[in-house]
Amino acid sequence: MNIGDAARASGVSAKMIRYYEQSGLIPKAGRTAGGYRDYSANDVHMLRFVRRARDLGFSIVEIEELLQLWRDRSRQSADVKRIALARIADLRRRIHAMEEMAATLQHLASSCSGDHRPDCPILADLEQGEVAKPRRTRGAIDEAPQ
Amino acid sequence: MNIGDAARASGVSAKMIRYYEQSGLIPKAGRTAGGYRDYSANDVHMLRFVRRARDLGFSIVEIEELLQLWRDRSRQSADVKRIALARIADLRRRIHAMEEMAATLQHLASSCSGDHRPDCPILADLEQGEVAKPRRTRGAIDEAPQ
DNA sequence: GGTGGGGCTTCCAGCCGTGGGAAGGTCAAG
DNA sequence: CTTGACCTTCCCACGGCTGGAAGCCCCACC
């Protein structure tokens, strides 16, 4: 099975499959006589695993861990659960930060007349807003693929 | 005022100030005889504006717009409000997507015994998680901005 | 037996926002 | 004048991809 077929079957683009292989996330695929990468149904299975994990927002590093646990028949479910719980905690933190942003903006927007006049409390806030340091939250998974 | 002082006064790192200047977000700073960038209190004001906006999650492009509006005395508050509302909508979409991820993971984690045994519903889900055939980018959080 | 096209290969470059660091110039205090 | 804190430019890296170019390879069709 060529990389294109594997891509279609797994939902991971051919580009990404090569990238994952090159970065060591997945093992190097076998090659045909012509030098093409060759994939088995099992490989597709693994690619789907990766895709599903990315859809759930796991980072590449976390997926690396999950893949190892997946392959390890003697793994303990606690190890997997630990990663999942950490991911949940991370999500909750990001959600909370984003909710605060939305609330602040909502407050500003609702006190803004939104008409033709130049007065605007939103700009007024930006102008002098005292700034705590809510670390960047626009990274990682919430940044949709372009 | 040197870049370091401006950085401390605005909360934007010197690195970022240079980056913002280089990428055209903020105007080029004047230079001293020795080639150092020179900042006024007004420049610091602008940098704080940028920082506050980034903390509220506005993208660089949005901040560019906001800065123009900020400088434009004849701007209409509706223009600013439009950007703020778009940002709120974007935040809400992201929050929703992340809540779904968290809920799914929570469900999986709570059905995982998390002990020494190898059985794990989290891996079981990843293993066969529904991968939609149509190449939708990334499930719930697709619809990439920009 | 040719040929055209699509798929495959590699490599290189970029996105955003940020931090790190090297090599060298500038400044103010001692 | 020396020291050392600061500044300058430049390049590299991250994550997580995406795109493009140049060049093989393979298969169907004539």
Side-chain angles (χ1 to χ4, degrees):
Chain A
M1 180 178 220
N2 281 345
I3 197 171
D5 302 313
R8 274 179 292 273
S10 67
V12 181
S13 74
K15 278 271 189 195
M16 289 315 311
I17 296 174
R18 289 191 202 99
Y19 170 74
Y20 288 152
E21 176 182 313
Q22 195 248 314
S23 64
L25 177 67
I26 59 176
K28 295 198 172 184
R31 301 289 181 131
T32 64
Y36 285 15
R37 284 178 182 79
D38 192 31
Y39 295 91
S40 68
N42 207 35
D43 293 329
V44 170
H45 203 183
M46 179 188 58
L47 287 169
R48 279 216 259 213
F49 182 103
V50 172
R51 165 121 144 85
R52 170 73 170 153
R54 285 237 31 87
D55 284 346
L56 285 173
F58 287 97
S59 71
I60 295 294
V61 172
E62 283 169 328
I63 295 176
E64 214 159 348
E65 274 187 90
L66 290 171
L67 273 176
Q68 276 170 18
L69 293 170
W70 185 47
R71 284 190 278 254
D72 176 8
R73 310 215 166 180
S74 65
R75 87 263 162 155
Q76 304 187 357
S77 64
D79 294 332
V80 183
K81 190 165 185 172
R82 175 181 48 78
I83 298 173
L85 289 177
R87 176 81 199 114
I88 290 170
D90 183 53
L91 280 170
R92 292 215 202 292
R93 259 186 288 113
R94 290 168 186 273
I95 287 169
H96 183 70
M98 295 172 87
E99 273 169 350
E100 279 187 349
M101 284 178 212
T104 301
L105 284 172
Q106 186 64 67
H107 175 72
L108 291 173
S110 62
S111 59
C112 171
S113 61
D115 57 17
H116 55 90
R117 286 170 303 172
D119 314 284
C120 180
I122 298 171
L123 287 184
D125 173 276
L126 289 178
E127 213 165 320
Q128 60 193 17
E130 205 42 50
V131 180
K133 214 181 174 213
R135 235 20 234 141
R136 275 279 48 74
T137 44
R138 300 196 72 175
I141 62 97
D142 55 0
E143 207 62 81
Q146 296 162 26
Chain B
M1 183 179 218
N2 282 344
I3 198 171
D5 302 314
R8 275 180 291 275
S10 67
V12 181
S13 74
K15 279 272 188 197
M16 283 295 103
I17 295 175
R18 291 192 200 98
Y19 172 75
Y20 289 152
E21 176 182 313
Q22 195 248 314
S23 64
L25 177 67
I26 59 176
K28 294 199 174 183
R31 300 291 181 130
T32 64
Y36 285 14
R37 284 176 182 80
D38 192 31
Y39 295 91
S40 67
N42 208 35
D43 292 329
V44 170
H45 204 183
M46 179 188 58
L47 288 169
R48 277 215 264 218
F49 182 103
V50 172
R51 166 120 143 82
R52 170 74 170 155
R54 289 250 2 104
D55 285 344
L56 285 173
F58 287 96
S59 70
I60 296 293
V61 172
E62 284 170 327
I63 295 176
E64 214 159 347
E65 273 188 271
L66 290 171
L67 272 176
Q68 276 170 18
L69 293 169
W70 185 49
R71 284 191 276 254
D72 177 8
R73 310 216 164 179
S74 66
R75 86 262 162 157
Q76 303 187 356
S77 64
D79 293 333
V80 183
K81 189 166 185 170
R82 175 181 49 77
I83 298 173
L85 289 177
R87 176 81 198 113
I88 291 170
D90 183 52
L91 280 170
R92 292 213 202 294
R93 262 192 300 114
R94 291 169 189 271
I95 288 170
H96 183 68
M98 295 172 87
E99 274 169 350
E100 279 187 350
M101 284 179 211
T104 301
L105 285 171
Q106 186 63 67
H107 175 72
L108 291 172
S110 61
S111 59
C112 171
S113 60
D115 58 17
H116 57 90
R117 287 169 303 174
D119 316 285
C120 181
I122 299 171
L123 287 184
D125 173 278
L126 290 177
E127 211 166 322
Q128 58 191 18
E130 75 278 6
V131 175
K133 327 300 169 248
R135 177 77 182 101
R136 311 179 36 198
T137 21
R138 283 271 302 277
I141 53 167
D142 62 349
E143 217 50 34
Q146 295 96 32

